[in-house]
Amino acid sequence: TAFSEVDGLEVPFPVLLGLAQRRPGVADATQRFTRQRMVKGIMLRSPLLRSFYPDRFEELLNLLSPRNFAAGDSLMQEGDAGEGLHVVLSGEVDVFRWNGQRQVRLARLGQGEVIGEISLLDEGPVSATVSAREHVQTLFLPRQHFHRLVAERPSLQRDLQVLAETRRMENMILLQQDPDDGGDLPTDEYEVLL
């Protein structure tokens, strides 16, 4: 819905595709624009990322690198060193953790969710395995950029710490449940941040 008069230009996909094949710069510009728009939408919906918009949007965008995962691929493995933080752009991931001899699904996460910050905040190993349920696209923020951003924004670090502690307690509850009492995850609304 437009709130004022808007002029628009619609370019049919076959025309855009043909143009991109003849001029590679068009494909690059279209891909950059699409990525910026998707990231902006996710940033505006995410309480953790919203504070970077608009003043630090371009800077944050330049620190993030796109990553793609096929169904079944692992984004991170329980026990490995945390390499960085992922923001899910599309698709869904399942989060699992070993509890004795059984693997417990802690969460199913999707668009806009942040994955990997607990191990970065704790400077410890990744606390769970995260696997793609389907094709997943993420934006990846390497460890060194993550630490710089939280050092510059103490409120971001406080918010992440509170969220991480909440998620640790939720995970502890899930891990203590009896597997014979109806499964390892009561609902798909549960989230976890690693």
Side-chain angles (χ1 to χ4, degrees), residues 106-122:
L106 299 174
R108 179 166 292 153
L109 305 175
Q111 186 179 49
E113 299 288 347
V114 177
I115 304 165
E117 78 290 340
I118 288 178
S119 63
L120 298 177
L121 289 168
D122 292 348

Side-chain angles (χ1 to χ4, degrees), residues 1-7:
T1 303
F3 296 103
S4 61
E5 188 173 324
V6 175
D7 289 325

Side-chain angles (χ1 to χ4, degrees), residues 122-158:
D122 292 348
E123 294 290 334
V126 172
S127 60
T129 297
V130 179
S131 299
R133 288 181 45 78
E134 57 194 358
H135 179 261
V136 171
Q137 292 182 311
T138 70
L139 289 176
F140 180 74
L141 181 68
R143 172 186 288 279
Q144 68 273 18
H145 296 313
F146 172 83
H147 286 300
R148 192 183 92 221
L149 289 175
V150 297
E152 292 172 2
R153 293 191 182 246
S155 63
L156 177 62
Q157 184 164 3
R158 278 191 308 273

Side-chain angles (χ1 to χ4, degrees), residues 81-93:
E83 297 177 1
L85 174 129
H86 289 269
V87 179
V88 179
L89 289 179
S90 65
E92 288 187 331
V93 299

Side-chain angles (χ1 to χ4, degrees), residues 92-95 105-110 133 185 188 190-191:
E92 288 187 331
V93 299
D94 279 330
V95 180
R105 186 180 73 165
L106 299 174
R108 179 166 292 153
L109 305 175
R133 288 181 45 78
L185 187 65
D188 285 345
Y190 277 80
E191 300 171 2

